[in-house]
């Protein structure tokens, strides 16, 4: 069976873009793959985190993964820092990747520029850029390679990190023998891209300028309805799917389509007004999210059960990770204990 691995940052609440663009696909795919999903808390600390917030966000992310339908009996759900083999392999890979390769990573360049206040339009700056932010891709490569993952579902913004992971795996294999599986990126198709409701030219994001454009999956129905009612459209009145000319309306149609199992173009049928399109989209989203919120409430009410699931996931993951790490260390010439 195809081995799949992906990670999600435990920062901020999961929104509709994360759900429709990634998590829902993860849940659908879990039955015909051998899937591993983790909350990447070690990646989160490449920028400064409040300890209590990190702990709560990691727990919340694990509860969210289960609430969206990932079944701990079917796939392996775990917290990255619970499997210490990731950081050990990461060191070995840091010694395989070059400075030049890491320097070319656009995510590092963007994040470093923003932190230092060099980004365009930046009004802040002077934040320190951690060494971990620079070596982040080596840890991500370790996350993937340690599970012999064949396929890695990620957003388009992670494409370059996946390419680097493949290069590192190939280099390691050619130096030390066939140790790692060379993984493929699985980038979702355009249809699943959810845009910001206030600024439909950009992707819905946790760090959007205005929270009005982002819909959290656990928001209450009145807030969700209000956000859709105020979604930015355009000055025409025709409902048609045309992302270039009508980004706002097209985004509503993508969301409505995704929530009701239709293509965006099909979802447009019968609409004459933006108002009804907005309220129907809100209704469809609320109905889609209802069972997810119910499951989350159930988990929140039983913290012992959630802890048990998280501990079992770490054991399952470590059993696989330990084997791969031992193979890599042996190939590199580390003396067995
Ligand atoms: N870097 C990814 C992101 O920001 C998160 C991530 C960490 C990840 N490790 C991973 C994704 C391994 C896929 C596989 O979205």
């Amino acid at each position: 069976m195809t081995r799949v691995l992906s990670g999600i940052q435990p920062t901020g609440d999961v929104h509709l873009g994360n759900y429709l663009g990634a998590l829902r696909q993860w849940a659908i795919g879990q039955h015909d793959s051998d899937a591993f999903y983790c909350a990447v808390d070690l990646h989160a600390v490449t920028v400064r985190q409040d300890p209590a917030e990190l702990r709560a966000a990691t727990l919340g992310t694990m509860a969210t993964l289960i609430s969206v339908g990932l079944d701990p009996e079917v796939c392996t759900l775990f917290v990255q820092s619970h499997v210490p083999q990731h950081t050990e392999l990461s060191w070995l890979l840091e010694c395989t990747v070059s400075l030049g390769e890491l320097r070319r990573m656009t995510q590092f360049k963007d994040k470093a520029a923003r932190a230092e206040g060099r980004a365009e339009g930046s009004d802040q700056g002077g934040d320190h850029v951690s060494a971990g932010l620079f070596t982040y891709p080596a840890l991500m490569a370790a996350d993937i390679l340690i599970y012999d993952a064949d396929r890695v579902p990620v957003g388009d913004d992670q494409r370059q990190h996946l390419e680097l992971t493949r290069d590192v795996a190939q280099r390691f294999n050619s130096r030390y023998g066939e140790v790692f599986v060379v993984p493929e990126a699985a980038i979702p198709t355009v249809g699943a891209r959810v845009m910001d409701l206030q600024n439909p030219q950009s992707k819905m994001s946790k760090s959007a300028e205005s929270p009005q454009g982002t819909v959290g999956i656990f928001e209450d129905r009145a807030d969700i309805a209000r956000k859709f009612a105020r979604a930015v459209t355009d000055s025409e009145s025709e409902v048609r799917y045309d992302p270039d000319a009508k980004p706002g309306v097209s985004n509503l149609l993508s969301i409505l389509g995704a929530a009701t199992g239709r293509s965006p173009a099909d979802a447009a049928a019968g609409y004459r007004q933006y108002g009804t399109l907005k309220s129907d989209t809100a209704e469809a989203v609320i109905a889609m999210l209802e069972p997810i919120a119910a499951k989350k409430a159930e988990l929140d009410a039983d913290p012992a059960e959630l802890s048990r699931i998280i501990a079992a996931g770490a054991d399952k993951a470590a059993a696989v990770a330990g084997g791969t790490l031992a193979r890599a260390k042996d190939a590199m010439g580390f003396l067995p204990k």
Side-chain angles (χ1 to χ4, degrees), residues 5-7 9 40 43 107 136 140 143-144 152-154 158 161:
L5 174 125
S6 196
Q9 295 249 7
V40 291
H43 279 104
Q107 182 171 303
Y136 178 119
M140 179 162 162
D143 297 340
I144 296 166
V152 184
V154 279
Q158 297 298 314
H161 289 159

Side-chain angles (χ1 to χ4, degrees), residues 107 109-119 122 124-127 207:
Q107 182 171 303
K109 288 194 271 191
D110 293 348
K111 285 190 177 178
R114 236 176 296 146
E116 290 176 336
R118 288 184 284 113
S122 172
Q124 52 172 51
D127 280 2
S207 53

Side-chain angles (χ1 to χ4, degrees), residues 28-49:
I28 293 168
Q30 68 184 320
H31 299 285
D32 40 45
S33 61
D34 179 15
F36 286 68
Y37 293 113
C38 56
V40 291
D41 53 349
L42 295 166
H43 279 104
V45 299
T46 53
V47 297
R48 199 163 166 168
Q49 300 289 339

Side-chain angles (χ1 to χ4, degrees), residues 91-109:
W91 173 255
L92 307 186
L93 300 183
E94 273 177 52
C95 297
T96 310
V97 71
S98 74
L99 267 183
E101 285 172 310
L102 291 175
R103 257 192 227 119
R104 280 197 290 278
M105 295 294 111
T106 53
Q107 182 171 303
F108 171 73
K109 288 194 271 191

